[in-house]
Amino acid sequence: MSHDLQITASAPDPALLDLPWDVPLEDWPADRIAALPRGISRHTVRFVRLSGRVIALKEIGETVAYREYALLRQLKRLDVPSVDPVGVVTGRLDPDGEPLEAVLVTEHLQYSLPYRALFSQALRPDTLTRLIDALAVLLVRLHVVGFYWGDVSLSNTLFRRDAEAFAAYLVDAETGDLHRKLTDGQRNYDVDLARTNIIGELMDLAAGELLDEDVDELAIGDLLVERYQELWASLTTAESFDAAERWRVAARIDRLNDLGFDVDELAMTTDIDGTTVRIQPKVVDAGHHSRRLMRLTGLDVQENQARRLLNDLDSYRAATERQNDDESFVAHDWLTEVFEPSVRAVPRELRGKLEPAQLFHEMLDHRWFLSEQQQRDVPMPEVVRSYVDNVLRHRRDEQALLGEDS
């Protein structure tokens, strides 16, 4: 290994030194590679098992690699859904002394799938709409913190199941830039580019016969713009009302909470005679339900999963007639008596198929199905057995998805 090799990492793993950096990524031996589904990329990308985890390696120019690494670290501090940066490897030389490109190293996002992997299986007709919704939420979250993406597309996004929806994660930030605040022109360019790229990607899927014939690619591109504009307006638009309608302040906050956002700062002004009040959210932060669940139970889950689990917690509280008890005490009992026993009842060899919160969400769906079918309240242990035997055993493993090339 060349003495010129340099590894820049926030938490260096000595095992990185054992990888064959003097070989181009496309020629790495198969025993080093983790066969995970990959999206379309301009660069060579490989997944590698290292120290009991999986990392993603992307060959890219040195300057761009350091810049993207820095941007991903900033996005992580801002709590924006994106892949976790590990480091940058530079100074690579092949056995003949010829320079090789730098490598950006990131953590592989467990249970995530590129959009082409999702379309390689039989999916519900509304799956595409749910992916677009997830991408619109991600784009709004990025714009709220001042991040200009510059290359919005399905290809540059990873998706994880989030109850009945999906959560989107940024996976490629090389064209991005972080500002104090984006102009309308920057936001609109990102949105217009997203529309163009999505239409092109869907046409590519249609050419490969992976898209339902009834899908209108142009309409889906327009849907992304529509969903983005609706959510952006809900988060940022000023609202005026009569001073006697002060309840509308709380109502605005409740609406944002329902969308999954907290209001950290709200500007309120009145006119000269005090008859009209104008309010506008100044600082909004995503993750309202996931933060509440984390505070009550310590579970770190996606937003829609948190919403579903909190609903079950509320049902448990009502069923046990503990509405007047401290919520944190009830949450602890729900966690130890309902959630944890249900997840632990899943055979160990099947637990890697889905995240624990997604497992529990699907168990709740299965409980509703069994109760409707049998016209009775089916106990959770019985639900778990039926779900494992009739549903989970037939699901593919979304933690790894080994052996697939998308």
Side-chain angles (χ1 to χ4, degrees), residues 26 65 68 79 86 91 115 148 150 200 229 245 263-264 270 283 307 325 330 393 406:
E26 64 181 357
E68 185 170 2
D79 198 28
V86 174
Y115 80 101
Y148 166 76
Q229 290 175 342
E245 300 178 296
V263 181
D264 287 343
T270 61
V283 180
R307 192 193 306 260
D325 288 4
V330 180
R393 290 191 187 279
S406 301

Side-chain angles (χ1 to χ4, degrees), residues 18-88:
D18 298 329
L19 297 177
W21 298 115
D22 57 345
V23 178
L25 280 185
E26 64 181 357
D27 297 329
W28 277 28
D31 62 349
R32 291 285 190 178
I33 303 301
L36 296 173
R38 299 192 303 273
I40 298 174
S41 174
R42 294 184 292 270
H43 309 284
T44 301
V45 177
R46 293 290 183 267
F47 295 108
V48 175
R49 297 193 182 279
L50 187 78
S51 302
R53 59 177 174 164
V54 176
I55 57 174
L57 309 178
K58 178 171 71 171
E59 276 186 336
I60 195 171
E62 180 176 332
T63 301
V64 179
Y66 278 119
R67 185 174 181 278
E68 185 170 2
Y69 173 65
L71 278 173
L72 288 173
R73 293 191 68 185
Q74 289 176 297
L75 291 177
K76 191 65 181 174
R77 285 193 291 268
L78 293 169
D79 198 28
V80 173
S82 56
V83 293
D84 290 346
V86 174
V88 176

